[in-house]
Amino acid sequence: MPRAHERTTIINTLPQLPPARLHIGGWIENSHNAEVRDPADTRNIVASAPRATRAQAIEAVQVAVRGSLEWRAVPAIQRGEVIRRASEIIAERAEQLAVAATLEMGKPIAESRGEAARAVEHARYFSTVGREAQGYTANLNEPDAQAFTLRSPIGVVSVITPWNFPIMIPNWKIAPALAHGNSVILKPAEVSPVTATLLVQCYLDAGVPASALSLLIGKSSEIGDVLLTAPEIAGVTFTGSTEVGRKISATAVGLGKRVQAEMGGKNALVIMDDANLDKALEAVMVGGFGTSGQRCTSSSRILVHEAVFEEVQRRLTEAVGQLRVGHGLTAGINAGPLASESALEDVMQGLERAVADGATVVAGGSRAEDSDLANGWFLQPTLLTGPATGAAFSEEIFGPIVSLHSIKDIDEAIRLNNEVEYGLSASIYTSNLEAANRFIFETDTGMVHVNRPTVGAEPHLPFGGSKASAIGPSELGAAHQFFTKTRSAHVRWKF
Ligand code: SIN
C-alpha cells in the first residue's frame, strides 16, 4: 500500500503560553487544574487548564444576569464601537492567538494565522449591525396610530464551542451575541483553554463589561447541565457533533430555551468531466486535507465523473504523498496531528469501518509513526476509493481521510449528494451552466458552491446546514435571528 510521505519535523523549543483562566465577573485562578498536552508531541505540556466547578457555573449565570441588564442598556451603536475595538485588539494579538491555537489543537501555524485573520473580519462585520435597519413600519386599522417592529436581545446566552476553530468559532458566536446586547457565558473545548482565555481578554480589554462575558473552562459532566438548564439562560448556541447537538437541543428546547446547533457534515465535492481539473484538485487538497480534515465543511466525499476518474485518482495520490506531516509550528508543514488521542481513535475506527465496508486505501491509511511523529496524534493523509455506500461514503470521519466515488452523470451526482443524512456544504466543479444550476437547486445543503471549495464562511452570509447538520437559525449573516427576538410595537399618539 502506498504511504503518504512522512518527515520528522518536531521542534525543540516551544513558545511559552500564558495561563488559562476562568472569568466570572473578574479573572480567577483555580486550584483544580488539568494538563493540556501538545497533540503533535504529547511529551510537551503546553498549558494547565482550570476546571470550573458546578458552583462556579451557577455563579457565572448570576453574574451574566447582571451583565445582560448592564450591557443591553448601552446603545447598540456604542456596543458596536466596543466590538470594533475588539476586532482591532484581535488583529494586534493575532500571532499570540495563532500560536496558542496551534500548540493546543495542532493545526499548521499558517492555518491558525488565517483563522485569526478571519476572526478579525467577523468581529468587524458584527461591529456594524447596530447601524442596520432593525425592522419595518406597518399601519394599524385606526386613526393616529402606527406600528413598527424592533429587535431586542434575548438575554443570557450559553456559548459552547469546539476545538477545530478555537479562535474563529467562539469569536463568531461571541461577537454577534454581544453586538445584539446579550451577555455571554463561553464554554470552550477543553483542548483549547489558553486560546479561549486570550480571546476573551481581547473583548474585555475592548470595553465589554466584566459581567457581560464569562469564561468557564471545564468538563461538560461538571458544568454542562447548568449551562443548559439554569432558568436564567435564554439560549444555547453550540457547534460540535450531531449526537451532542441533538442531546443539547432536547434538553434546552424542552425547557423552552432557544437552541442554535451547527453540527456534522459529510460534504461532497463533485468533479464533472468538463471541470477545470487543476482548480478542482486544489479544492480537494484544501477542503479535504486542510485542518487534517477536522472541519465541519471538509470535502470528505469526492464524486468524480467516470471519464476523469483515473486521472483524478492518480493526481490526488501524488499530491497526498507530497503533504508535509509534522508539528504545526514548523515552517512548511501542511498536515498537523489530530487534536487529541480520542480524536485519533475515533478516526482510526472510522477508517476501519470504511475498509470493512469495501473501501480501498490508495494513499496513507495508518498512523505516522516515524521517529518523533510517534509521540503525536498523527494519521497519514489518506485517500480511499470505493463504492458509494458504507462508512467512507456516509459517516462523518473527522480526520484527513478523503474518499473518491465514480459517477456517471449529474443526476447521479445530485442523488448521491442528497443520499446522506447530513446537509451542510456541497460543491460542483463544472463548466456546464445547466449542471451547475441543477446542482444548486436540486441539492439539499445549507451552503452550495460552484467551482469553489466546500469550506469557508463569509461573515455576511448565513452559515448553517439542513437535515442532521443543524438545528435552529444559521450563524454569521443570519445571527440576528438567534440572538434577538423580534417584537412589534403598536403606538397611538392621540388619546
Ligand atoms: C468549519 O468548517 O468548521 C468552519 C468553516 C470553514 O472555514 O470551513
Side-chain angles (χ1 to χ4, degrees):
M1 172 189 312
R3 286 164 62 85
H5 192 67
E6 284 172 17
R7 302 204 184 145
T8 305
T9 50
I10 298 302
I11 51 178
N12 295 327
T13 333
L14 293 178
Q16 282 289 308
L17 294 183
R21 290 183 292 169
L22 306 180
H23 187 268
I24 307 171
W27 289 109
I28 296 174
E29 305 294 340
N30 228 18
S31 48
H32 313 279
N33 289 310
E35 281 171 357
V36 178
R37 288 180 181 266
D38 180 355
D41 186 341
T42 57
R43 292 170 299 183
N44 304 322
I45 298 171
V46 294
S48 153
R51 282 204 171 144
T53 61
R54 186 179 162 79
Q56 286 174 317
I58 292 170
E59 192 191 336
V61 173
Q62 295 314 318
V63 168
V65 170
R66 288 203 310 277
S68 160
L69 297 175
E70 187 182 342
W71 182 238
R72 68 182 292 157
V74 176
I77 293 172
Q78 285 174 35
R79 291 197 302 259
E81 282 303 298
V82 174
I83 306 298
R84 187 186 53 73
R85 276 201 297 281
S87 75
E88 289 163 2
I89 296 173
I90 295 169
E92 282 159 22
R93 300 180 192 168
E95 188 60 15
Q96 192 187 22
L97 282 156
V99 169
T102 290
L103 276 178
E104 291 189 315
M105 63 69 67
K107 70 171 70 164
I109 188 69
E111 286 192 33
S112 294
R113 288 181 182 133
E115 187 185 337
R118 290 170 70 194
V120 172
E121 200 188 330
H122 293 159
R124 203 178 283 148
Y125 166 72
F126 285 112
S127 73
T128 64
V129 296
R131 290 185 185 272
E132 285 172 359
Q134 301 293 305
Y136 56 90
T137 60
N139 296 325
L140 291 172
N141 190 12
E142 54 195 90
D144 305 317
Q146 187 75 31
F148 62 94
T149 67
L150 66 154
R151 290 189 207 143
S152 297
I154 61 171
V156 179
V157 181
S158 294
V159 171
I160 304 174
T161 55
W163 43 259
N164 62 337
F165 281 94
I167 311 168
M168 183 178 81
I169 292 181
N171 180 72
W172 89 26
K173 293 176 190 282
I174 293 173
L178 291 172
H180 289 295
N182 303 285
S183 65
V184 168
I185 304 174
L186 171 64
K187 184 199 169 300
E190 281 173 69
V191 164
S192 50
V194 176
T195 313
T197 304
L198 292 170
L199 182 67
V200 166
Q201 184 78 65
C202 294
Y203 279 87
L204 296 170
D205 290 352
V208 172
S211 56
L213 179 55
S214 294
L215 172 60
L216 287 181
I217 297 161
K219 295 203 96 45
S220 299
S221 53
E222 178 77 17
I223 57 176
D225 175 52
V226 175
L227 294 182
L228 301 187
T229 63
E232 298 87 347
I233 302 285
V236 180
T237 174
F238 164 82
T239 297
S241 70
T242 297
E243 192 192 344
V244 176
R246 284 181 171 166
K247 281 189 189 146
I248 285 178
S249 177
T251 304
V253 172
L255 291 169
K257 302 177 193 309
R258 286 187 178 199
V259 170
Q260 175 187 58
E262 197 272 288
M263 310 187 290
K266 189 68 192 175
N267 313 293
L269 185 148
V270 175
I271 305 178
M272 297 301 286
D273 52 350
D274 53 10
N276 177 328
L277 281 194
D278 292 345
K279 297 280 181 216
L281 299 188
E282 220 174 88
V284 175
M285 295 309 291
V286 170
F289 293 102
T291 325
S292 294
Q294 302 169 110
R295 284 165 102 138
C296 316
T297 53
S298 287
S299 332
S300 49
R301 298 185 290 156
I302 316 300
L303 310 180
V304 189
H305 193 281
E306 58 188 4
V308 289
F309 190 89
E310 253 183 60
E311 180 178 356
V312 167
Q313 178 175 332
R314 178 181 51 74
R315 289 177 61 181
L316 278 179
T317 307
E318 209 176 291
V320 169
Q322 279 164 7
L323 286 172
R324 293 198 59 203
V325 181
H327 197 292
L329 289 183
T330 308
I333 286 302
N334 43 24
L338 278 297
S340 63
E341 182 174 18
S342 62
L344 177 64
E345 266 170 21
D346 288 350
V347 170
M348 293 301 291
Q349 284 166 15
L351 178 59
E352 274 167 32
R353 282 193 300 276
V355 171
D357 290 343
T360 304
V361 177
V362 291
S366 56
R367 286 189 67 172
E369 286 179 321
D370 284 7
S371 188
D372 279 348
L373 294 185
N375 294 310
W377 309 125
F378 290 98
L379 174 69
Q380 295 172 326
T382 297
L383 192 63
L384 306 176
T385 58
T389 53
F393 178 77
S394 58
E395 274 185 30
E396 184 183 44
I397 305 173
F398 215 54
I401 300 178
V402 169
S403 62
L404 305 182
H405 309 278
S406 175
I407 52 160
K408 287 190 177 359
D409 52 27
I410 184 66
D411 292 317
E412 194 174 13
I414 292 167
R415 180 175 62 76
L416 292 181
N417 180 78
N418 291 344
E419 215 165 71
V420 299
E421 64 170 322
Y422 298 105
L424 188 58
S425 184
S427 171
I428 186 166
Y429 277 75
T430 183
S431 47
N432 181 310
L433 190 62
E434 183 183 335
N437 277 292
R438 282 196 57 202
F439 194 75
I440 294 170
F441 288 98
E442 295 177 34
T443 48
D444 186 6
T445 55
M447 293 163 290
V448 59
H449 299 265
V450 176
N451 298 318
R452 303 186 77 246
T454 56
V455 294
E458 295 291 334
H460 56 293
L461 289 172
F463 182 89
S466 61
K467 303 195 288 185
S469 291
I471 295 171
S474 293
E475 304 196 85
L476 292 177
H480 62 277
Q481 292 173 7
F482 178 74
F483 289 112
T484 63
K485 39 190 167 195
T486 300
R487 303 166 59 220
S488 59
H490 309 241
V491 183
R492 184 185 293 166
W493 57 84
K494 258 194 189 168
F495 42 87

